[in-house]
Structure formats: structure tokens, C-alpha cells
């Protein structure tokens, strides 16, 4: 496969793997703070990111490239608040969207129309991921700290799809 594309897809493996670890760190912290619903949402999100990483890995290998399993930096151990967790999720997803868009740009530059077609799945996925993070932040604003118990119970309603779907 095109070497420049392969490099950028491998760089995306790093990002999707880190996303998974970041959400796992958030899940673990929220679980230890007693937010079982929120942690459930974040554990599921971490699994989904792992699947995003695997899709890239198989695509690179299927196209006669070589997927590289990266060393990862450690995500934070604790977080300031639930609000900050979801602000970080939203900011992180926006950075992932920018990164996917760079891959799309390169597929045009390199005339790699197969990868261009294949990466559209991620383009659509990012629309969904940003939307969900924004909705959760809106809901948090509406419910406020006093209703955190209900928010924690309700958050799984924001999972519209199954892991790996
Ligand atoms: Fe795999 Fe949340 O982007």
C-alpha cells in the first residue's frame, strides 16, 4: 500500500488506542467515585475505540502494509469533575475528527481512492461521536449537580449503537 497512507493510518492506530485507554481511565475513575452508570458508558466507549483501532490494523495488513502496535502514554489517573470528563471527551473527539480529515486529505493527494472510500466509515462515526458528547454535555448542564444521581442512571440512553457495530 501507499507508504504515506500506511504511516498516517498507523498514526491513527496510536490515537484510537490512546482514546480507548483514556476512556478506560475515565471509566475506572468514575467507577471508583461511585458513578456506576457513567462508568458503564465510558467502559463501552473504551471498547468501541478498541474496535476502531482493530479496523485500522486489519485494513493496513489486508492491503499488504504492516500495522504497528504502539507504546502508549499513560492517561490521567483522576479527573476534576464529571463535567470536566465530558468536556475532555468532546475535545478529544474533535481532535480525532481533525485527524481523520487529514487522512481523507492525503487519500485525495495520493489518489488512493480505495482508502478514501474505506475511511468514510470513520468520517460518519465521528459525526455520531461528537454529537453524543455534545448531547451529554447539554444534559449535564440541564440536570446540574443536584440531579447527578438521575444523570448517572440515565446516561446509558445515549448509547444508540452496540460495540463493534
Ligand atoms: Fe474512534 Fe471516538 O473516535
Amino acid at each position: 500500500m501507499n507508504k504515506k497512507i500506511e504511516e498516517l493510518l498507523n498514526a491513527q492506530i496510536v490515537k484510537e488506542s490512546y482514546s480507548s485507554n483514556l476512556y478506560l481511565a475515565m471509566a475506572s475513575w468514575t467507577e471508583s467515585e461511585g458513578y456506576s452508570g457513567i462508568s458503564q458508558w465510558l467502559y463501552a466507549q473504551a471498547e468501541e475505540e478498541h474496535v476502531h483501532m482493530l479496523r485500522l490494523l486489519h485494513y493496513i495488513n489486508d492491503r499488504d502494509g504492516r500495522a504497528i502496535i504502539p507504546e502508549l502514554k499513560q492517561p490521567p489517573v483522576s479527573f476534576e469533575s464529571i463535567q470536566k470528563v465530558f468536556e475532555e471527551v468532546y475535545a478529544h473527539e474533535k481532535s480525532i475528527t481533525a485527524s481523520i480529515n487529514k487522512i481523507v486529505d492525503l487519500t485525495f493527494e495520493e489518489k488512493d481512492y480505495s482508502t478514501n472510500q474505506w475511511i468514510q466509515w470513520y468520517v460518519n462515526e465521528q459525526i455520531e461521536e461528537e454529537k453524543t458528547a455534545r448531547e451529554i454535555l447539554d444534559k449535564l448542564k440541564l440536570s446540574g449537580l443536584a440531579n447527578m444521581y438521575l444523570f448517572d442512571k440515565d446516561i446509558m440512553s445515549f448509547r444508540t449503537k452496540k460495540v463493534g457495530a
Side-chain angles (χ1 to χ4, degrees):
M1 86 184 293
N2 177 301
K3 282 294 150 199
K4 284 190 197 166
I5 298 276
E6 183 178 341
E7 262 174 40
L8 212 50
L9 292 180
N10 266 313
Q12 193 63 29
I13 284 188
V14 179
K15 290 175 186 174
E16 300 291 345
S17 301
Y18 182 74
S19 301
S20 182
N21 270 6
L22 175 63
Y23 296 155
L24 202 54
M26 289 171 171
S28 176
W29 179 75
T30 49
E31 184 174 47
S32 71
E33 293 288 318
Y35 297 106
S36 55
I38 295 171
S39 73
Q40 205 185 331
W41 189 91
L42 287 161
Y43 279 123
Q45 198 62 28
E47 267 186 63
E48 213 173 87
E49 299 300 349
H50 181 72
V51 172
H52 294 176
M53 180 277 293
L54 279 177
R55 285 177 74 102
L56 283 152
L57 180 153
H58 292 310
Y59 181 73
I60 295 169
N61 290 339
D62 287 349
R63 298 294 309 280
D64 204 20
R66 168 121 353 130
I68 299 165
I69 308 304
E71 183 177 29
L72 299 175
K73 70 172 179 176
Q74 189 184 329
V77 174
S78 61
F79 300 84
E80 222 174 279
S81 64
I82 297 297
Q83 173 82 24
K84 290 278 181 215
V85 164
F86 284 102
E87 281 172 9
E88 198 170 331
V89 169
Y90 186 36
H92 185 72
E93 287 305 329
K94 284 200 284 189
S95 79
I96 295 293
T97 301
S99 166
I100 295 291
N101 287 343
K102 278 193 187 140
I103 299 174
V104 176
D105 284 345
L106 189 65
T107 62
F108 281 119
E109 271 171 42
E110 295 295 313
K111 299 190 182 348
D112 182 349
Y113 300 117
S114 319
T115 303
N116 179 281
Q117 176 79 7
W118 179 82
I119 201 75
Q120 296 307 316
W121 183 89
Y122 287 83
V123 173
N124 289 322
E125 181 70 9
Q126 284 314 117
I127 295 172
E128 197 58 40
E129 301 248 300
E130 283 192 28
K131 175 176 167 266
T132 307
R134 229 176 20 248
E135 279 176 353
I136 290 175
L137 278 170
D138 286 346
K139 193 74 175 258
L140 255 179
K141 216 181 288 168
L142 278 177
S143 63
L145 269 183
N147 288 321
M148 198 51 91
Y149 176 73
L150 285 178
F151 177 81
D152 185 57
K153 277 175 71 143
D154 185 49
I155 188 170
M156 284 307 278
S157 66
F158 286 95
R159 285 203 64 83
T160 50
K161 56 198 166 160
K162 293 199 166 45
V163 168

